[in-house]
Amino acid sequence: MFRLTFDGGRSLLVDEDARLHLLRTAARRRHPITRVRGGHVVTLPCGRMVALIAEAV
């Protein structure tokens, strides 16, 4: 499971399929994707960020 956290502080748990879908969509739309420890950060066009970090099991 991965924690999807929005710039405003809201977060939710997503599975591997949802994580891959989000990353593929961001790449297709050419949004910058930064690799961070345990996951990725996607920068949206408006300057806001979305973090996908692996949840500790």
Side-chain angles (χ1 to χ4, degrees):
M1 297 298 281
F2 292 83
R3 180 151 309 270
L4 174 64
T5 305
F6 297 94
D7 204 5
R10 293 189 72 186
S11 67
L12 57 126
L13 288 176
V14 297
D15 62 8
E16 177 71 11
D17 291 337
R19 180 188 78 88
L20 289 174
H21 177 73
L22 178 71
L23 290 174
R24 285 184 188 130
T25 301
R28 190 174 338 110
R29 294 181 178 180
R30 299 178 195 230
H31 299 319
I33 301 171
T34 306
R35 181 95 171 109
V36 296
R37 183 185 299 173
H40 296 85
V41 173
V42 178
T43 305
L44 302 175
C46 59
R48 301 194 83 172
M49 295 185 197
V50 176
L52 274 165
I53 306 296
E55 256 313 275
V57 194

Short mmCIF file of all heavy atoms in Angstrom, two decimals:
data_model
loop_
_atom_site.label_atom_id
_atom_site.label_comp_id
_atom_site.label_asym_id
_atom_site.label_seq_id
_atom_site.Cartn_x
_atom_site.Cartn_y
_atom_site.Cartn_z
N MET A 1 0.83 -1.18 0.00
CA MET A 1 0.00 0.00 0.00
C MET A 1 0.88 1.25 0.00
O MET A 1 2.00 1.24 0.50
CB MET A 1 -0.90 0.02 1.23
CG MET A 1 -1.89 -1.13 1.31
SD MET A 1 -3.08 -1.17 -0.03
CE MET A 1 -4.22 0.06 0.47
N PHE A 2 0.33 2.30 -0.56
CA PHE A 2 1.04 3.57 -0.64
C PHE A 2 0.14 4.68 -0.11
O PHE A 2 -1.07 4.62 -0.26
CB PHE A 2 1.41 3.87 -2.10
CG PHE A 2 2.44 2.94 -2.64
CD1 PHE A 2 2.09 1.70 -3.14
CD2 PHE A 2 3.79 3.29 -2.63
CE1 PHE A 2 3.05 0.82 -3.62
CE2 PHE A 2 4.75 2.43 -3.11
CZ PHE A 2 4.38 1.19 -3.60
N ARG A 3 0.75 5.65 0.52
CA ARG A 3 0.01 6.81 1.02
C ARG A 3 0.11 7.90 -0.02
O ARG A 3 1.21 8.34 -0.38
CB ARG A 3 0.56 7.29 2.35
CG ARG A 3 -0.24 8.49 2.85
CD ARG A 3 -0.30 8.63 4.33
NE ARG A 3 -0.71 7.46 5.07
CZ ARG A 3 -1.97 7.16 5.38
NH1 ARG A 3 -2.96 7.90 4.98
NH2 ARG A 3 -2.22 6.09 6.11
N LEU A 4 -1.04 8.34 -0.53
CA LEU A 4 -1.13 9.43 -1.48
C LEU A 4 -1.46 10.68 -0.67
O LEU A 4 -2.51 10.75 -0.04
CB LEU A 4 -2.23 9.14 -2.50
CG LEU A 4 -2.59 10.22 -3.50
CD1 LEU A 4 -1.41 10.51 -4.41
CD2 LEU A 4 -3.79 9.80 -4.32
N THR A 5 -0.55 11.64 -0.66
CA THR A 5 -0.73 12.85 0.14
C THR A 5 -0.74 14.06 -0.78
O THR A 5 0.17 14.26 -1.57
CB THR A 5 0.40 13.01 1.18
OG1 THR A 5 0.47 11.83 1.97
CG2 THR A 5 0.15 14.21 2.08
N PHE A 6 -1.79 14.87 -0.64
CA PHE A 6 -1.93 16.08 -1.44
C PHE A 6 -1.29 17.25 -0.72
O PHE A 6 -1.09 17.23 0.49
CB PHE A 6 -3.42 16.36 -1.70
CG PHE A 6 -4.08 15.29 -2.51
CD1 PHE A 6 -4.75 14.24 -1.88
CD2 PHE A 6 -4.02 15.30 -3.89
CE1 PHE A 6 -5.35 13.24 -2.62
CE2 PHE A 6 -4.62 14.31 -4.64
CZ PHE A 6 -5.29 13.27 -4.00
N ASP A 7 -0.98 18.29 -1.48
CA ASP A 7 -0.32 19.49 -0.98
C ASP A 7 -1.05 20.09 0.23
O ASP A 7 -0.44 20.59 1.15
CB ASP A 7 -0.23 20.51 -2.11
CG ASP A 7 0.87 21.51 -1.92
OD1 ASP A 7 1.63 21.37 -0.95
OD2 ASP A 7 0.98 22.43 -2.74
N GLY A 8 -2.37 20.01 0.24
CA GLY A 8 -3.16 20.60 1.32
C GLY A 8 -3.19 19.77 2.60
O GLY A 8 -3.75 20.19 3.60
N GLY A 9 -2.59 18.57 2.57
CA GLY A 9 -2.51 17.74 3.76
C GLY A 9 -3.42 16.53 3.77
O GLY A 9 -3.24 15.63 4.58
N ARG A 10 -4.41 16.48 2.88
CA ARG A 10 -5.28 15.31 2.82
C ARG A 10 -4.50 14.12 2.29
O ARG A 10 -3.64 14.27 1.43
CB ARG A 10 -6.46 15.57 1.90
CG ARG A 10 -7.40 16.62 2.45
CD ARG A 10 -8.65 16.70 1.66
NE ARG A 10 -9.44 15.51 1.95
CZ ARG A 10 -10.56 15.21 1.34
NH1 ARG A 10 -11.02 15.97 0.40
NH2 ARG A 10 -11.22 14.11 1.66
N SER A 11 -4.82 12.94 2.80
CA SER A 11 -4.12 11.75 2.31
C SER A 11 -5.07 10.55 2.34
O SER A 11 -6.07 10.55 3.05
CB SER A 11 -2.87 11.47 3.14
OG SER A 11 -3.22 11.12 4.45
N LEU A 12 -4.69 9.54 1.57
CA LEU A 12 -5.45 8.29 1.53
C LEU A 12 -4.52 7.17 1.11
O LEU A 12 -3.44 7.42 0.57
CB LEU A 12 -6.64 8.39 0.57
CG LEU A 12 -6.32 8.76 -0.87
CD1 LEU A 12 -6.92 7.71 -1.79
CD2 LEU A 12 -6.91 10.11 -1.17
N LEU A 13 -4.93 5.95 1.38
CA LEU A 13 -4.14 4.78 0.99
C LEU A 13 -4.58 4.31 -0.39
O LEU A 13 -5.78 4.26 -0.68
CB LEU A 13 -4.32 3.64 2.00
CG LEU A 13 -3.65 3.83 3.35
CD1 LEU A 13 -4.00 2.66 4.26
CD2 LEU A 13 -2.15 3.95 3.20
N VAL A 14 -3.60 3.98 -1.23
CA VAL A 14 -3.88 3.44 -2.56
C VAL A 14 -3.05 2.18 -2.76
O VAL A 14 -2.02 1.99 -2.11
CB VAL A 14 -3.57 4.47 -3.68
CG1 VAL A 14 -4.46 5.69 -3.55
CG2 VAL A 14 -2.11 4.88 -3.67
N ASP A 15 -3.51 1.32 -3.65
CA ASP A 15 -2.77 0.09 -3.92
C ASP A 15 -1.76 0.31 -5.05
O ASP A 15 -1.66 1.40 -5.61
CB ASP A 15 -3.72 -1.06 -4.24
CG ASP A 15 -4.56 -0.82 -5.49
OD1 ASP A 15 -4.31 0.17 -6.21
OD2 ASP A 15 -5.46 -1.63 -5.74
N GLU A 16 -1.03 -0.73 -5.38
CA GLU A 16 0.01 -0.65 -6.41
C GLU A 16 -0.54 -0.25 -7.77
O GLU A 16 0.06 0.53 -8.49
CB GLU A 16 0.74 -1.99 -6.50
CG GLU A 16 1.81 -2.07 -7.56
CD GLU A 16 3.05 -1.25 -7.26
OE1 GLU A 16 3.20 -0.77 -6.12
OE2 GLU A 16 3.87 -1.07 -8.18
N ASP A 17 -1.71 -0.78 -8.12
CA ASP A 17 -2.32 -0.45 -9.41
C ASP A 17 -2.64 1.04 -9.52
O ASP A 17 -2.38 1.67 -10.54
CB ASP A 17 -3.59 -1.27 -9.64
CG ASP A 17 -3.31 -2.75 -9.85
OD1 ASP A 17 -2.17 -3.09 -10.25
OD2 ASP A 17 -4.21 -3.56 -9.59
N ALA A 18 -3.20 1.61 -8.45
CA ALA A 18 -3.53 3.04 -8.44
C ALA A 18 -2.26 3.89 -8.51
O ALA A 18 -2.22 4.91 -9.19
CB ALA A 18 -4.34 3.39 -7.20
N ARG A 19 -1.22 3.46 -7.81
CA ARG A 19 0.06 4.18 -7.82
C ARG A 19 0.64 4.21 -9.23
O ARG A 19 1.04 5.25 -9.74
CB ARG A 19 1.06 3.54 -6.86
CG ARG A 19 2.41 4.24 -6.82
CD ARG A 19 3.41 3.46 -6.00
NE ARG A 19 3.95 2.34 -6.74
CZ ARG A 19 5.03 2.41 -7.53
NH1 ARG A 19 5.68 3.54 -7.67
NH2 ARG A 19 5.46 1.36 -8.17
N LEU A 20 0.66 3.04 -9.88
CA LEU A 20 1.19 2.96 -11.23
C LEU A 20 0.36 3.78 -12.21
O LEU A 20 0.90 4.45 -13.10
CB LEU A 20 1.27 1.51 -11.70
CG LEU A 20 2.34 0.66 -11.01
CD1 LEU A 20 2.22 -0.79 -11.44
CD2 LEU A 20 3.72 1.20 -11.29
N HIS A 21 -0.95 3.76 -12.05
CA HIS A 21 -1.83 4.55 -12.91
C HIS A 21 -1.53 6.04 -12.77
O HIS A 21 -1.40 6.76 -13.76
CB HIS A 21 -3.29 4.26 -12.58
CG HIS A 21 -4.25 5.07 -13.38
ND1 HIS A 21 -4.49 4.83 -14.72
CD2 HIS A 21 -5.01 6.13 -13.05
CE1 HIS A 21 -5.36 5.72 -15.16
NE2 HIS A 21 -5.70 6.52 -14.16
N LEU A 22 -1.38 6.51 -11.53
CA LEU A 22 -1.08 7.92 -11.30
C LEU A 22 0.27 8.31 -11.91
O LEU A 22 0.39 9.34 -12.57
CB LEU A 22 -1.08 8.24 -9.80
CG LEU A 22 -0.72 9.68 -9.46
CD1 LEU A 22 -1.84 10.62 -9.86
CD2 LEU A 22 -0.42 9.84 -8.00
N LEU A 23 1.29 7.48 -11.71
CA LEU A 23 2.62 7.79 -12.25
C LEU A 23 2.63 7.76 -13.78
O LEU A 23 3.25 8.63 -14.41
CB LEU A 23 3.67 6.83 -11.69
CG LEU A 23 3.98 7.00 -10.20
CD1 LEU A 23 4.91 5.89 -9.74
CD2 LEU A 23 4.57 8.37 -9.92
N ARG A 24 1.94 6.80 -14.37
CA ARG A 24 1.88 6.74 -15.84
C ARG A 24 1.13 7.94 -16.42
O ARG A 24 1.54 8.51 -17.43
CB ARG A 24 1.19 5.45 -16.29
CG ARG A 24 2.07 4.23 -16.13
CD ARG A 24 1.38 3.00 -16.68
NE ARG A 24 2.15 1.83 -16.35
CZ ARG A 24 1.66 0.73 -15.78
NH1 ARG A 24 0.37 0.64 -15.51
NH2 ARG A 24 2.44 -0.29 -15.52
N THR A 25 0.04 8.32 -15.76
CA THR A 25 -0.73 9.48 -16.22
C THR A 25 0.10 10.75 -16.11
O THR A 25 0.11 11.58 -17.02
CB THR A 25 -2.03 9.61 -15.41
OG1 THR A 25 -2.79 8.41 -15.57
CG2 THR A 25 -2.85 10.80 -15.87
N ALA A 26 0.83 10.90 -15.00
CA ALA A 26 1.68 12.09 -14.82
C ALA A 26 2.78 12.12 -15.89
O ALA A 26 3.06 13.17 -16.45
CB ALA A 26 2.29 12.08 -13.42
N ALA A 27 3.38 10.98 -16.18
CA ALA A 27 4.43 10.92 -17.20
C ALA A 27 3.86 11.24 -18.58
O ALA A 27 4.47 11.99 -19.35
CB ALA A 27 5.08 9.54 -17.19
N ARG A 28 2.68 10.70 -18.88
CA ARG A 28 2.04 10.96 -20.18
C ARG A 28 1.73 12.45 -20.34
O ARG A 28 1.88 13.01 -21.42
CB ARG A 28 0.76 10.14 -20.30
CG ARG A 28 0.17 10.15 -21.67
CD ARG A 28 -1.03 9.22 -21.87
NE ARG A 28 -1.14 8.12 -20.93
CZ ARG A 28 -2.09 8.04 -19.98
NH1 ARG A 28 -2.99 8.98 -19.83
NH2 ARG A 28 -2.14 7.00 -19.17
N ARG A 29 1.34 13.10 -19.24
CA ARG A 29 1.02 14.53 -19.29
C ARG A 29 2.25 15.42 -19.08
O ARG A 29 2.15 16.62 -19.02
CB ARG A 29 -0.03 14.86 -18.23
CG ARG A 29 -1.36 14.21 -18.52
CD ARG A 29 -2.37 14.55 -17.49
NE ARG A 29 -3.65 13.93 -17.82
CZ ARG A 29 -4.73 14.06 -17.09
NH1 ARG A 29 -4.70 14.78 -15.98
NH2 ARG A 29 -5.84 13.48 -17.46
N ARG A 30 3.40 14.77 -18.95
CA ARG A 30 4.70 15.45 -18.79
C ARG A 30 4.81 16.31 -17.54
O ARG A 30 5.46 17.35 -17.54
CB ARG A 30 5.03 16.26 -20.04
CG ARG A 30 5.12 15.36 -21.25
CD ARG A 30 5.38 16.11 -22.49
NE ARG A 30 5.08 15.20 -23.59
CZ ARG A 30 5.90 14.97 -24.58
NH1 ARG A 30 7.01 15.58 -24.65
NH2 ARG A 30 5.58 14.13 -25.53
N HIS A 31 4.17 15.84 -16.44
CA HIS A 31 4.35 16.50 -15.16
C HIS A 31 5.68 16.02 -14.57
O HIS A 31 6.00 14.83 -14.68
CB HIS A 31 3.22 16.16 -14.19
CG HIS A 31 1.86 16.58 -14.65
ND1 HIS A 31 1.61 17.78 -15.28
CD2 HIS A 31 0.67 15.94 -14.59
CE1 HIS A 31 0.33 17.87 -15.55
NE2 HIS A 31 -0.27 16.76 -15.17
N PRO A 32 6.46 16.90 -13.94
CA PRO A 32 7.72 16.46 -13.34
C PRO A 32 7.48 15.43 -12.23
O PRO A 32 6.61 15.63 -11.38
CB PRO A 32 8.31 17.74 -12.76
CG PRO A 32 7.64 18.85 -13.51
CD PRO A 32 6.28 18.34 -13.85
N ILE A 33 8.24 14.35 -12.26
CA ILE A 33 8.17 13.30 -11.24
C ILE A 33 9.54 13.22 -10.59
O ILE A 33 10.54 13.00 -11.27
CB ILE A 33 7.78 11.95 -11.84
CG1 ILE A 33 6.42 12.05 -12.54
CG2 ILE A 33 7.77 10.86 -10.77
CD1 ILE A 33 6.04 10.82 -13.34
N THR A 34 9.58 13.39 -9.27
CA THR A 34 10.84 13.35 -8.53
C THR A 34 10.86 12.11 -7.66
O THR A 34 9.92 11.85 -6.91
CB THR A 34 10.99 14.59 -7.63
OG1 THR A 34 10.84 15.76 -8.44
CG2 THR A 34 12.33 14.61 -6.93
N ARG A 35 11.93 11.33 -7.77
CA ARG A 35 12.10 10.14 -6.93
C ARG A 35 12.58 10.57 -5.56
O ARG A 35 13.54 11.34 -5.45
CB ARG A 35 13.12 9.21 -7.59
CG ARG A 35 13.37 7.95 -6.84
CD ARG A 35 12.49 6.83 -7.39
NE ARG A 35 12.89 5.56 -6.81
CZ ARG A 35 12.15 4.92 -5.92
NH1 ARG A 35 11.00 5.40 -5.54
NH2 ARG A 35 12.55 3.77 -5.43
N VAL A 36 11.91 10.12 -4.53
CA VAL A 36 12.31 10.40 -3.15
C VAL A 36 12.38 9.07 -2.40
O VAL A 36 11.91 8.05 -2.90
CB VAL A 36 11.31 11.35 -2.43
CG1 VAL A 36 11.30 12.72 -3.10
CG2 VAL A 36 9.92 10.77 -2.40
N ARG A 37 12.96 9.09 -1.23
CA ARG A 37 13.08 7.85 -0.46
C ARG A 37 11.70 7.26 -0.19
O ARG A 37 10.85 7.89 0.41
CB ARG A 37 13.78 8.11 0.87
CG ARG A 37 13.98 6.82 1.66
CD ARG A 37 14.56 7.08 3.01
NE ARG A 37 15.86 7.71 2.88
CZ ARG A 37 16.56 8.16 3.90
NH1 ARG A 37 16.06 8.08 5.12
NH2 ARG A 37 17.73 8.71 3.71
N GLY A 38 11.47 6.07 -0.68
CA GLY A 38 10.21 5.38 -0.44
C GLY A 38 9.09 5.70 -1.40
O GLY A 38 7.99 5.21 -1.25
N GLY A 39 9.34 6.54 -2.41
CA GLY A 39 8.25 6.84 -3.33
C GLY A 39 8.58 7.91 -4.36
O GLY A 39 9.72 8.02 -4.80
N HIS A 40 7.56 8.70 -4.70
CA HIS A 40 7.69 9.73 -5.72
C HIS A 40 6.91 10.97 -5.32
O HIS A 40 5.95 10.88 -4.57
CB HIS A 40 7.11 9.24 -7.06
CG HIS A 40 7.83 8.09 -7.63
ND1 HIS A 40 7.56 6.79 -7.27
CD2 HIS A 40 8.83 8.02 -8.54
CE1 HIS A 40 8.36 5.97 -7.93
NE2 HIS A 40 9.14 6.70 -8.72
N VAL A 41 7.30 12.12 -5.87
CA VAL A 41 6.55 13.36 -5.73
C VAL A 41 6.26 13.84 -7.15
O VAL A 41 7.15 13.93 -7.98
CB VAL A 41 7.34 14.43 -4.94
CG1 VAL A 41 6.60 15.76 -4.96
CG2 VAL A 41 7.58 13.97 -3.51
N VAL A 42 4.99 14.13 -7.42
CA VAL A 42 4.57 14.63 -8.72
C VAL A 42 4.23 16.11 -8.56
O VAL A 42 3.46 16.48 -7.68
CB VAL A 42 3.33 13.87 -9.24
CG1 VAL A 42 2.87 14.44 -10.57
CG2 VAL A 42 3.63 12.38 -9.37
N THR A 43 4.82 16.96 -9.40
CA THR A 43 4.51 18.38 -9.39
C THR A 43 3.47 18.66 -10.47
O THR A 43 3.70 18.38 -11.65
CB THR A 43 5.77 19.22 -9.65
OG1 THR A 43 6.77 18.85 -8.70
CG2 THR A 43 5.47 20.70 -9.52
N LEU A 44 2.34 19.19 -10.06
CA LEU A 44 1.24 19.48 -10.98
C LEU A 44 1.46 20.84 -11.64
O LEU A 44 2.23 21.66 -11.14
CB LEU A 44 -0.08 19.43 -10.23
CG LEU A 44 -0.37 18.10 -9.54
CD1 LEU A 44 -1.64 18.19 -8.72
CD2 LEU A 44 -0.46 16.98 -10.54
N PRO A 45 0.78 21.12 -12.75
CA PRO A 45 1.00 22.37 -13.49
C PRO A 45 0.77 23.62 -12.64
O PRO A 45 1.41 24.63 -12.85
CB PRO A 45 -0.01 22.31 -14.64
CG PRO A 45 -0.37 20.89 -14.78
CD PRO A 45 -0.18 20.26 -13.44
N CYS A 46 -0.13 23.57 -11.69
CA CYS A 46 -0.42 24.75 -10.87
C CYS A 46 0.64 24.96 -9.79
O CYS A 46 0.55 25.89 -8.99
CB CYS A 46 -1.80 24.61 -10.24
SG CYS A 46 -1.96 23.15 -9.18
N GLY A 47 1.67 24.10 -9.75
CA GLY A 47 2.73 24.24 -8.76
C GLY A 47 2.50 23.42 -7.50
O GLY A 47 3.37 23.33 -6.65
N ARG A 48 1.33 22.82 -7.37
CA ARG A 48 1.03 21.99 -6.21
C ARG A 48 1.70 20.63 -6.37
O ARG A 48 2.04 20.23 -7.48
CB ARG A 48 -0.46 21.84 -6.04
CG ARG A 48 -1.12 23.23 -5.88
CD ARG A 48 -2.48 23.14 -5.40
NE ARG A 48 -2.41 23.01 -3.95
CZ ARG A 48 -3.45 23.06 -3.17
NH1 ARG A 48 -4.63 23.22 -3.68
NH2 ARG A 48 -3.32 22.94 -1.86
N MET A 49 1.88 19.93 -5.27
CA MET A 49 2.56 18.64 -5.31
C MET A 49 1.69 17.53 -4.73
O MET A 49 0.85 17.79 -3.88
CB MET A 49 3.86 18.71 -4.53
CG MET A 49 4.85 19.63 -5.14
SD MET A 49 6.39 19.53 -4.23
CE MET A 49 7.15 21.02 -4.80
N VAL A 50 1.93 16.32 -5.22
CA VAL A 50 1.28 15.12 -4.72
C VAL A 50 2.39 14.12 -4.41
O VAL A 50 3.25 13.89 -5.25
CB VAL A 50 0.32 14.53 -5.78
CG1 VAL A 50 -0.27 13.23 -5.30
CG2 VAL A 50 -0.77 15.51 -6.13
N ALA A 51 2.39 13.56 -3.21
CA ALA A 51 3.41 12.59 -2.82
C ALA A 51 2.83 11.20 -2.76
O ALA A 51 1.71 11.00 -2.27
CB ALA A 51 4.01 12.96 -1.46
N LEU A 52 3.57 10.23 -3.26
CA LEU A 52 3.22 8.81 -3.17
C LEU A 52 4.35 8.13 -2.43
O LEU A 52 5.43 7.94 -2.98
CB LEU A 52 3.11 8.21 -4.57
CG LEU A 52 1.78 8.34 -5.25
CD1 LEU A 52 1.94 8.03 -6.73
CD2 LEU A 52 0.77 7.42 -4.63
N ILE A 53 4.11 7.76 -1.18
CA ILE A 53 5.15 7.16 -0.34
C ILE A 53 4.68 5.79 0.13
O ILE A 53 3.52 5.63 0.53
CB ILE A 53 5.45 8.07 0.89
CG1 ILE A 53 5.77 9.49 0.45
CG2 ILE A 53 6.55 7.47 1.74
CD1 ILE A 53 7.03 9.64 -0.37
N ALA A 54 5.59 4.81 0.11
CA ALA A 54 5.26 3.45 0.56
C ALA A 54 4.90 3.46 2.04
O ALA A 54 5.58 4.11 2.84
CB ALA A 54 6.43 2.52 0.31
N GLU A 55 3.83 2.78 2.40
CA GLU A 55 3.39 2.66 3.78
C GLU A 55 4.19 1.56 4.45
O GLU A 55 4.42 0.51 3.87
CB GLU A 55 1.94 2.21 3.81
CG GLU A 55 0.84 3.17 4.12
CD GLU A 55 0.99 4.09 5.28
OE1 GLU A 55 0.68 3.72 6.42
OE2 GLU A 55 1.37 5.24 5.04
N ALA A 56 4.58 1.79 5.69
CA ALA A 56 5.27 0.75 6.45
C ALA A 56 4.25 -0.34 6.79
O ALA A 56 3.11 -0.06 7.14
CB ALA A 56 5.83 1.33 7.73
N VAL A 57 4.66 -1.58 6.63
CA VAL A 57 3.74 -2.69 6.87
C VAL A 57 3.93 -3.25 8.26
O VAL A 57 4.96 -3.33 8.80
CB VAL A 57 3.96 -3.82 5.83
CG1 VAL A 57 2.80 -4.78 5.87
CG2 VAL A 57 4.14 -3.26 4.46
#
